[in-house]
Amino acid sequence: MSFMDKAKDFLDKHDKQVDQALEKIGDEVDKRTGHKYSSHIDKGVDEAQKRTGDGDTRP
């Protein structure tokens, strides 16, 4: 099993925790940029959350 396969497997099994971590990271980036890019950060976090986890990780 390759590193990428192991990473995808981890993301699939821990989708909720990964989504929560992405949200926290987005909030911190938003805070550090003085909320100037909130809509862009939110879109990025949403897109990342769509692409992680069981059923939404692409080969």
Side-chain angles (χ1 to χ4, degrees):
M1 182 179 269
S2 74
F3 173 77
M4 288 303 293
D5 290 334
K6 289 179 183 178
K8 288 176 185 178
D9 189 47
F10 176 84
L11 293 173
D12 287 346
K13 290 181 179 177
H14 302 284
D15 184 46
K16 185 175 180 179
Q17 292 87 350
V18 171
D19 286 351
Q20 289 172 345
L22 289 167
E23 193 69 40
K24 286 182 181 181
I25 291 166
D27 290 345
E28 185 63 27
V29 170
D30 192 31
K31 184 174 113 181
R32 289 183 184 208
T33 58
H35 306 285
K36 292 180 184 179
Y37 309 101
S38 296
S39 64
H40 298 290
I41 293 166
D42 288 344
K43 286 179 187 178
V45 168
D46 290 345
E47 194 60 35
Q49 288 173 332
K50 286 181 197 175
R51 295 176 184 263
T52 59
D54 192 20
D56 52 10
T57 301
R58 305 286 185 249

